[in-house]
Amino acid sequence: MFPVRPGIHEFASASVRIQERIPALVRAISMALREKAFRVVQFPLLFAVFFLFSSVAGAEQKEAQLRGRGCLGCHEGIESINSRMASEWGADRRCEVCHYGNPAGATKLEAHADLIANPADFRVIERTCGKCHSDYGEIVQVTLNGVDNHVGRVLCSVMATAAGEIAGTRYLWNEQNTRDAVYAVRDVSDLDQAQPPGAVQRLRELPPASHSDADHLLRSSCLRCHLWTEDKQNPDIFRSAGCAACHVLYDKSGLSQTGDPTIPKDEPGHPIRHQITTAIPTAQCLMCHNDGGSRIGLSYTGLSVTDSALERKPPGPTEETSYGAYLVHVPPDVHFSRGMDCIDCHDTIDMHGDGNLYSRQEFQVGIRCETCHGTAEKPPGFRTERGDLLKNVDIENGKPYMLTKIHMERLSIPVVSSTSEFSWLPDIWHKGHQRLECYACHSTAAPQCYTCHLIRDDSRTSPVDWAQGIGEKQAAEQLPGAWSGRKLLQEWFDPALGVNSRGRVSPFIPGGQSTVSHLGPDGSLKTLKKTFSTAAGLYGFSMNPVQPHTTSSKARPCYSCHSSQKALGLGTEGLLDLKRFGLPVTFPPDKMGNEDGTRIQDSPHEGVRPFSGEELRKIYRTGFCVSCHSEPIERATPANLPDSMKEADELHQKLIELLVTPKEE
C-alpha cells in the first residue's frame, strides 16, 4: 500500500459528518421542550448528545488512522493472495494493482471508490489478470509450464464459451441445422486464422430468450456454469466468476475461514480464503461438474444421481442430498481411489484451451488413456494428443511414476504393452479390439438419464439470465418464464457402445432426450409433450459418446458386450415404455439404431454413429467364443502341441475363421 498519515482533511471530513447529525438532535431537543419534559430528559439527552458526538468523532478518527495504513488498516490479517505474486510485485501489500480503489481514502466509502471486488471477472480481466497473464501484460509476462497468454486463451475456451452445450441443445431442438457451434455466451473470435478439426473462426452471442424455447431454456436454466458468471446463490455449488471460478477455492457451505476481520464468517457466498492457487482440488471442479452433462465429476468421485419419476435406485448406502440432487455411493474411478485429482491428468491446455474456438470439449481435451498407459503395440509417450509432454511424470529405472500436483505423492503408472508384464495382451487383441477406446471395456458403469419432460411456464419468472450472468457490476437479470423438469428414469448401469468421432468404439449415454410442454402467461396450454426432429430427419433424442470417468482396473466381462442388445445400441426391451407417458416414441430410449445399422436417434456430435449392420454381425459371431473364452488365456503355439492336439488346433482355427470372417456376397 501507499502509507498516508491522517491529516487535516480526515478530521475535517469527520467534522462534516458530525454536523450532518446536528439537525436531528436539534429536532429531538425541540420536541422534548414542546412536551415540557426537558427537565426530565435533559440529563439523559445531553449525555446522548455528548456520546453521539464523541463516538462519531472517535470512530471517524479511528477509521482515518486505520486508513493511514492503506487497505491493511481495515483488512489486517488477510492472507497473502499468492506467494509468487507477492514476490514478483508485492501483491500482498499493493492491493490496488488488482482491486483498484483508493488505498489513501480516509473512509471506507472513499477507499472503495471504483473498487473491483473480483479482479478475475472477465468483464474487467484486461485491466487486472491481463496485466501479467496475457501477451499485453504491463507488469510482468507470466509463463507457466511453457504456456503464456492465459487470458487470451481462456476467453476462447469451452468453459468460457459454453459452445458445446449451446450447439447441442439448439441442434437437437432444430434451431440450427449444423452440429458445429455457432453461438456462445459472448461474441468471440479465434486468436488466429487457423482452425484445427472441431474449431470455428467465430462464435456469435446467443440470441435472446424470446427467440426460441431452446434459447430460453439455455439462458434461464442450462447455462448456470460458464466462466462469465458466478454462482453464490445455490447451496453446495458456490463459486466465483472468471479465473477465480477455479483458482479461488470455495467450501460447499460458502463460508469463509479468512483472517480478514471484515468478512463475516457466518454469511455464505465467500471463498475459503483470500488466496489464488494452481493446486485446484477435485472438490472445486465439482462445483460445476456435478448434475449436468455427463456428470463426470460425480462419477469420478463415486457418486451418482438416481432420483427420477420411477424412483429406481441402485443398491448401496445413501448420501444426503448434495449439489441439489439425491445421491448414492457407487464405485469411484480407480484414479480417484489412488489419490489423483483432475489436474493430475488435465493440463493447462485442457483447462484454458489453446486459443481456438472448439465446438465441443473433446476437441480441446488432449489427454488419452494411452498417453500414460500405452497400447498393446506401443509404449506410452506421456504426451497429449497435441504433443505436449506431461510435466508431472518421471521415468526411473525404466518405470514411469506420476507425482500428484496437490499432495505430491509418487504413484507408479501401469504400462500395457508387449514390453510390460502384460505380455499376453497382443495375442488376444485382434483387429476389432484395436478400435476400442480403453474405457469402452474399463468403464464398467455410467450414469444414464432417460427422457426428461420439460415444462415452460410463462406465468412465472426465472431469477437469472445465466447467459448474461452475474459478476462484477452485473446484477442478476430476470427473465419472464421459468422451466421445471421431470426425469423419467436415471440409472447407474453398463453403458451402450457405439462409434465416436475418432472412429473408435466408445461408451454412449443419453443426452438431451427432452419433450416440452408450454404454458402461457395465463396458464393456458400452448404445447403438450412436444418432441423434436433434427435437420438430419432423425428424432431429437440423443445418445452421445462419453469418457465416463468410471475407470476400473477390471474390465467389463465379454458377454456384457457381445451378448447384450443394450451394449450394442439396440435398446433394452421394457426399459421405459414412452407411449405410456403419452409420448409419440415407439422405441426404447437407449436404442440408437436398428440391426441393419439404420440410425434412430441423432447426436449433436459430428461423426458419431451406432454400429453398422456388418459390425453387429461380426460382434454377434464372436459372441460364440464367449461361452468358452470368458477370461484371457495363455495361447499355445502349434510347435508346443502334441500331434493329437495340432489337428484340434487346426479345426479350432477354421471354426474361428468361419465365425468371424464375413461371407462373400
Side-chain angles (χ1 to χ4, degrees), residues 9 14 80 138 177 196 237 312 320 372 564 572 586 619 631 654:
H9 69 280
S80 175
E138 60 188 49
N177 58 14
I237 48 179
R312 299 172 67 178
E320 60 187 60
C372 290
S564 168
T572 304
T586 59
I619 296 170
E631 296 290 339
K654 289 180 180 179

Side-chain angles (χ1 to χ4, degrees), residues 31 40 66 80 86 134 177 200 239 307 312 373 464 510 631 635 649:
M31 185 178 295
V40 178
L66 289 173
S80 175
S134 70
N177 58 14
V200 297
R239 63 174 181 82
D307 54 324
R312 299 172 67 178
H373 300 292
V464 182
E631 296 290 339
R635 181 177 174 183
D649 184 65

Side-chain angles (χ1 to χ4, degrees), residues 96-113:
E96 71 279 3
V97 173
C98 293
H99 288 280
Y100 287 78
N102 176 20
T107 66
K108 177 180 178 180
L109 186 63
E110 293 174 2
H112 284 195

Side-chain angles (χ1 to χ4, degrees), residues 391-454:
K391 306 292 186 180
N392 58 330
V393 173
D394 288 319
I395 309 295
E396 184 177 310
N397 297 324
K399 294 184 177 181
Y401 295 88
M402 169 177 283
L403 185 66
T404 62
K405 295 177 182 177
I406 297 178
H407 303 292
M408 298 299 173
E409 294 179 341
R410 193 165 176 264
L411 303 176
S412 62
I413 301 176
V415 174
V416 179
S417 71
S418 57
T419 60
S420 73
E421 62 268 32
F422 303 104
S423 58
W424 46 266
L425 276 174
D427 288 333
I428 67 166
W429 279 34
H430 53 71
K431 186 176 181 181
H433 279 175
Q434 289 173 354
R435 292 177 55 214
L436 293 174
E437 297 281 13
C438 303
Y439 50 87
C441 291
H442 285 275
S443 294
T444 54
Q448 294 158 67
C449 177
Y450 292 104
T451 313
C452 189
H453 181 208
L454 298 170

Side-chain angles (χ1 to χ4, degrees), residues 344-524:
D344 289 322
C345 285
H346 294 289
D347 64 4
T348 179
I349 303 295
D350 278 10
M351 301 296 189
H352 300 109
D354 59 5
N356 291 294
L357 296 171
Y358 291 109
S359 291
R360 289 177 300 280
Q361 59 87 14
E362 63 259 34
F363 293 110
Q364 181 174 306
V365 173
I367 193 72
R368 300 285 186 267
C369 299
E370 52 268 32
T371 302
C372 290
H373 300 292
T375 67
E377 298 85 8
K378 186 178 179 182
F382 305 105
R383 292 183 179 273
T384 67
E385 287 283 288
R386 298 176 299 270
D388 300 319
L389 187 66
L390 298 185
K391 306 292 186 180
N392 58 330
V393 173
D394 288 319
I395 309 295
E396 184 177 310
N397 297 324
K399 294 184 177 181
Y401 295 88
M402 169 177 283
L403 185 66
T404 62
K405 295 177 182 177
I406 297 178
H407 303 292
M408 298 299 173
E409 294 179 341
R410 193 165 176 264
L411 303 176
S412 62
I413 301 176
V415 174
V416 179
S417 71
S418 57
T419 60
S420 73
E421 62 268 32
F422 303 104
S423 58
W424 46 266
L425 276 174
D427 288 333
I428 67 166
W429 279 34
H430 53 71
K431 186 176 181 181
H433 279 175
Q434 289 173 354
R435 292 177 55 214
L436 293 174
E437 297 281 13
C438 303
Y439 50 87
C441 291
H442 285 275
S443 294
T444 54
Q448 294 158 67
C449 177
Y450 292 104
T451 313
C452 189
H453 181 208
L454 298 170
I455 302 173
R456 175 177 172 177
D457 186 350
D458 286 345
S459 68
R460 299 167 54 208
T461 300
S462 296
V464 182
D465 178 345
W466 287 111
Q468 182 64 37
I470 307 172
E472 193 65 26
K473 306 296 188 294
Q474 174 63 56
E477 293 187 2
Q478 295 185 339
L479 289 173
W483 292 82
S484 59
R486 182 187 186 211
K487 302 166 184 175
L488 294 186
L489 178 62
Q490 293 195 78
E491 287 205 338
W492 178 265
F493 197 64
D494 292 348
L497 300 174
V499 181
N500 64 17
S501 57
R502 300 176 70 204
R504 300 177 69 84
V505 176
S506 163
F508 276 62
I509 63 173
Q513 294 190 343
S514 303
T515 64
V516 174
S517 294
H518 191 172
L519 304 177
D522 59 354
S524 61

Side-chain angles (χ1 to χ4, degrees), residues 282 295-304 329-342 344-346 369 373 411 438-439 442-447 492 546-554:
T282 298
R295 299 172 177 83
I296 56 175
L298 292 179
S299 300
Y300 183 70
T301 58
L303 295 170
S304 177
H329 288 284
V330 294
D333 190 291
V334 66
H335 301 88
F336 180 77
S337 297
R338 293 195 69 192
M340 293 172 60
D341 286 282
C342 304
D344 289 322
C345 285
H346 294 289
C369 299
H373 300 292
L411 303 176
C438 303
Y439 50 87
H442 285 275
S443 294
T444 54
W492 178 265
V546 66
Q547 212 295 20
H549 289 66
T550 59
T551 308
S552 170
S553 57
K554 183 177 177 60

